Amino acid sequence: MSLPGAGLSRARYGSQTLHAEWTKLRTLASTGWLLLAVAVLTIAVSAAADASATCPSGGCQTDLTKLSLTGVQVGQAIVAIVAVLAVSNEFSSGMIQVTLATVPRRLTVLAAKAALIGGLFLAAGAVAVLASVLAGRLILPGHGFTPAHGYQPLSLGDGLVLRAACGSVLYLVLIALLSLGVATVVRESAVAIGLVLGLLYVFPVVASVVSNQQWHRHLEQIGPITAGLYIQDTVDVQALPLTPWQGLGVLALWAAGALTVGALVLRLRDA
Amino acid sequence: MTTVKPYRSSAPARRGDFAQLLHAEWTKFRTVRGWVTGMIAAVLVIVGFGLFAAGGGVKASGTKACPPGMSSADCRSTAISLAPPENTIALYLIGAFAGLIAVAVVATMFMSAEYRRGLIRTTLAASPARGRVLVAKAIVIGAVAFVAGLAAAAGAVIFATDLAHHRGLSVLSLRWPTELRIIAGTAALIAVAAVFTLAIAAIVRRSGATVTIAIVTIVFPYFLSISNGGATGVTDFLLRVTPAAAFAVQQPTPQYYLVVTSPATGFFPLAPWAGFAVLCGWTVLALVLAAYLLRRRDA
């Protein structure tokens, strides 16, 4: 007896795996709700942040782009759940054994999951981020951020705003991939989500108590959240410890690291 | 022919003995290695962060005074600087949030594992009074989390203060009731947060969703206030209404209406015990809803 899919070409094998993973993800009721939650929560929190900001007549230094994308910080928690559940659900229900019996090339399974989750959040993230920028454009002029104070309405035609918006979408995708990698390593959803959120929150909190300037800088440079969100900064960019794209690169390294360890563990361990 | 004598528990068969229920839940907790490890990890994390804070030096950006009743936003813009940076024991409890995440994961699994493995049916068959099961679970996880939290907070403060003195850093000594409140309050915060998480787990029954709800409501607003360098606008509001308000028990100097604007010590819009009461209120609500759903739904 030959292995399942032995007669297929590599490309066809890959596309069939992708299709199978898509079916699994699509037919779970929770996936749709959680994606909706990512978008709604991101937009709502961004709009709330816009609405609570004020610019007194004396002028202000607010980074409007960053402000209008505040919701990404909440949305990422839901992103982490979806990505973690895509893996840990299979382990908790035992489905993983069927999956790996059908697709014995384990890395193909992980790659298909990563591609799907990444694509899903590229779409959901784009909706959430675009709507957040739009909310900022509509709400902020009513709170004193007017041309008289030196603020133009947010527009994607502005290169910096466009960079922050596109970068925020990529940020969500990378958070999803990081979560996927962590979930593949620890398998248990509660532990995986705890680890991911702990990893995200720990660097800024620790950096806040470190007085040594150099340590402080390094902590901000290696933290996935601190470095990754430099992509949202549009004011005083030169003063950042890393350039925005370098910062996103740091997060990409975290995600790549988590996925690599996940891939190794998936290959080496019994499922 | 030998007759096999069936096993009978030596405990007298009594209906409605709550102590037995507590004992059963304690056995369930104690015999899962991962959960015990998780609690130990929480203690180590809190102590480790305390040592790191003392070893890496502390940063406090100055102390400001606000008249009572002034809104925090006004205060931030108008307050005058009073004193040089302060270094109090509250800084050494910076790891509480990380320990709390570990405890929340354990508390989640303490409940959700019952549903995952189907053990809940055995549990409810053995003790058909469902509300009592929930209460017993809450007492066990709350007590374990309190002991772990107290050990962690006391350990972090003692070891980190020692390290700070060793490095020649001055630690501002607070009045002893305040120090006691900060340490015991941190333990109580962790304990009540564990019970809150348990109740959420009983409501949603899914471990992933539970952990996320617990962390996003308890830790995230606190994190947001730290990463934004103080409570402003949205964070100020969140630190009043979400369970994260309970982190106010770590506020070092409430009695002088001082606002320590150091992001490290955080700035909390509510008084210490008022903030803690917010978490307790949410916990009671969640427990009531959990008990109601547990009784109404099929397990």
Side-chain angles (χ1 to χ4, degrees):
Chain A
M1 203 181 111
S2 60
L3 284 172
L8 296 176
S9 74
R10 219 183 165 75
R12 184 134 174 73
Y13 192 80
S15 79
Q16 288 204 345
T17 311
L18 208 57
H19 190 256
E21 290 299 330
W22 171 236
T23 309
K24 275 189 250 174
L25 210 57
R26 178 173 59 82
T27 50
L28 270 178
S30 63
T31 308
W33 286 113
L34 287 171
L35 281 179
L36 192 68
V38 170
V40 170
L41 215 58
T42 304
I43 299 164
V45 172
S46 299
D50 294 338
S52 71
T54 51
C55 188
S57 50
C60 41
Q61 299 275 312
T62 317
D63 185 343
L64 290 194
T65 316
K66 199 177 175 72
L67 181 71
S68 70
L69 293 172
T70 307
V72 168
Q73 298 204 27
V74 184
Q76 66 184 355
I78 319 286
V79 170
I81 311 189
V82 181
V84 163
L85 289 184
V87 176
S88 65
N89 265 351
E90 293 219 13
F91 281 101
S92 70
S93 63
M95 173 75 174
I96 189 74
Q97 290 169 359
V98 180
T99 303
L100 294 183
T102 324
V103 188
R105 288 180 194 155
R106 298 187 172 190
L107 296 189
T108 309
V109 174
L110 188 63
K113 279 191 190 297
L116 269 179
I117 289 288
L120 221 51
F121 284 113
L122 206 58
V127 172
V129 165
L130 283 181
S132 297
V133 173
L134 185 68
R137 186 187 168 92
L138 297 176
I139 296 172
L140 287 171
H143 287 80
F145 298 97
T146 52
H149 287 147
Y151 285 105
Q152 298 301 323
L154 290 178
S155 153
L156 288 177
D158 183 343
L160 289 176
V161 179
L162 187 65
R163 182 256 288 156
C166 294
S168 296
V169 178
L170 290 179
Y171 174 85
L172 289 177
V173 171
L174 289 171
I175 291 289
L177 295 181
L178 171 66
S179 312
L180 194 74
V182 171
T184 315
V185 178
V186 301
R187 300 179 176 189
E188 172 65 49
S189 53
V191 180
I193 291 174
L195 274 178
V196 169
L197 295 183
L199 179 71
L200 292 181
Y201 296 158
V202 77
F203 288 95
V205 176
V206 171
S208 75
V209 293
V210 171
S211 63
N212 185 319
Q213 284 303 318
Q214 209 150 12
W215 276 36
H216 185 80
R217 210 175 143 82
H218 287 323
L219 279 170
E220 293 204 325
Q221 282 170 336
I222 58 171
I225 235 184
T226 41
L229 284 178
Y230 288 150
I231 200 75
Q232 293 186 345
D233 280 278
T234 59
V235 173
D236 219 5
V237 177
Q238 281 75 26
L240 294 175
L242 290 172
T243 68
W245 288 108
Q246 276 175 346
L248 204 62
V250 169
L251 176 60
L253 284 179
W254 277 101
L259 278 178
T260 309
V261 178
L264 267 178
V265 163
L266 186 66
R267 273 207 72 142
L268 297 178
R269 258 195 324 210
D270 286 345
Chain B
M1 209 174 118
T2 55
T3 48
V4 179
K5 217 176 143 199
Y7 168 78
R8 291 279 179 266
S9 167
S10 57
R14 272 174 300 173
R15 212 183 122 74
D17 189 344
F18 192 66
Q20 281 189 349
L21 209 50
L22 277 180
H23 190 257
E25 293 302 334
W26 166 239
T27 307
K28 280 187 212 166
F29 180 85
R30 170 176 70 78
T31 50
V32 177
R33 196 191 294 160
W35 300 347
V36 178
T37 313
M39 283 294 180
I40 294 173
V43 175
L44 294 180
V45 161
I46 294 176
V47 174
F49 274 63
L51 289 177
F52 184 83
V58 288
K59 185 176 72 175
S61 58
T63 311
K64 293 178 174 183
C66 286
M70 196 173 200
S71 87
S72 55
D74 291 342
C75 174
R76 284 174 64 80
S77 55
T78 58
I80 30 154
S81 284
L82 275 188
E86 285 176 0
N87 184 8
T88 69
I89 61 164
L91 278 178
Y92 303 143
L93 294 174
I94 194 74
F97 86 97
L100 203 147
I101 290 180
V103 170
V105 169
V106 174
T108 300
M109 291 168 74
F110 188 44
M111 192 74 199
S112 67
E114 295 242 359
Y115 285 99
R116 163 99 79 71
R117 311 263 178 238
L119 180 66
I120 188 73
R121 300 199 188 106
T122 312
T123 304
L124 294 183
S127 168
R130 296 184 172 193
R132 294 159 62 93
V133 174
L134 188 68
V135 172
K137 269 194 171 332
I139 290 176
V140 167
I141 196 69
V144 170
F146 185 80
V147 170
L150 199 60
V157 167
I158 291 168
F159 294 134
T161 310
D162 206 43
L163 180 64
H165 285 315
H166 201 68
R167 292 180 68 233
L169 290 172
S170 65
V171 181
L172 182 80
S173 62
L174 305 165
R175 292 184 315 157
W176 71 265
T178 310
E179 299 210 334
L180 185 67
R181 186 252 297 157
I182 291 177
I183 295 173
T186 301
L189 157 69
I190 292 175
V192 179
V195 176
F196 175 73
T197 311
L198 182 88
I200 299 288
I203 294 169
V204 302
R205 298 186 183 182
R206 293 207 171 78
S207 59
T210 304
V211 170
T212 311
I213 292 173
I215 294 177
V216 167
T217 53
I218 306 175
V219 178
F220 178 72
Y222 169 77
F223 157 79
L224 209 57
S225 80
I226 282 189
S227 66
N228 292 352
T232 49
V234 179
T235 35
D236 187 289
F237 174 71
L238 288 178
L239 284 178
R240 285 172 192 275
V241 301
T242 63
F247 274 99
V249 293
Q250 295 187 340
Q251 197 166 3
T253 47
Q255 62 270 46
Y256 308 118
Y257 297 101
L258 289 179
V259 179
V260 179
T261 55
S262 154
T265 48
F267 161 69
F268 299 98
L270 292 180
W273 293 115
F276 185 67
V278 173
L279 172 63
C280 291
W282 280 108
T283 305
V284 169
L285 266 182
L287 271 178
V288 169
L289 183 62
Y292 173 74
L293 289 176
L294 190 64
R295 295 176 67 133
R296 253 202 77 171
R297 285 192 301 208
D298 286 343

